[in-house]
Amino acid sequence: MALAVGAAAFATLGTAGAAEAGGPAGQQRAQTVERERIAASVLGDDYKITLTALRSDTDPYAASVRMRAFTQQDGAWQESDRVTVGEVEGWFWFPLTGSQAVCQFSTASTEPAPITVSLLVTPSIGCSAPEAFELRDGRFYRP
């Protein structure tokens, strides 16, 4: 199928650490830290892939990027896998949540589905080197 380029959408919710930590302390922390979806792509009826910026709860300028895969189950999207793009807290929050944050987010409706991600480091530095992934049976792999 044709190459899909993700569109930006915004939401304020929890953190990567809190969402993955589980338990009452993690759930309570999740309500105070920001995250914004920066791109999404739907591959036919099979998969949805999202990129989300997660603001650090210790450094207001730092962020992580999480890529999540979803599969259709009983008429609803269910998360099937997640992976961190780049280093944890290795991104800057403000460039990631700006209008030019996504330099490249390409996907294809094949099995395996190739995914390429490049994000804005800063306006003066420019875009990150492209990072490649494959989505196979709802799971991320690095080729």
Side-chain angles (χ1 to χ4, degrees):
M1 286 220 108
L3 199 58
V5 177
F10 301 101
T12 301
L13 295 169
T15 67
E20 294 166 7
Q27 291 169 356
Q28 195 171 37
R29 236 179 67 205
Q31 297 170 359
T32 61
V33 181
E34 293 177 89
R35 75 170 148 178
E36 290 192 23
R37 182 174 299 161
I38 56 176
S41 179
V42 177
L43 307 178
D45 295 332
D46 299 323
Y47 301 115
K48 177 169 70 170
I49 302 166
T50 63
L51 287 176
T52 304
L54 304 151
R55 195 171 198 171
S56 170
D57 59 352
T58 58
D59 179 351
Y61 299 106
S64 299
V65 175
R66 178 190 303 151
M67 184 164 56
R68 296 169 66 192
F70 298 86
T71 58
Q72 278 282 351
Q73 294 178 10
D74 301 322
W77 291 110
Q78 301 293 323
E79 183 178 310
S80 59
D81 200 12
R82 67 174 65 185
V83 66
T84 300
V85 177
E87 298 295 321
V88 173
E89 296 189 3
W91 301 94
F92 295 104
W93 175 254
F94 292 104
L96 274 184
T97 57
S99 63
Q100 302 296 317
V102 180
C103 301
Q104 181 180 8
F105 179 46
S106 60
T107 60
S109 293
T110 60
E111 187 67 41
I115 304 163
T116 304
V117 179
S118 174
L119 303 169
L120 184 65
V121 178
T122 68
S124 59
I125 293 174
C127 298
S128 67
E131 194 166 344
F133 300 88
E134 284 184 352
L135 185 66
R136 284 185 253 147
D137 297 319
R139 308 274 311 164
F140 290 115
Y141 296 89
R142 295 181 193 263

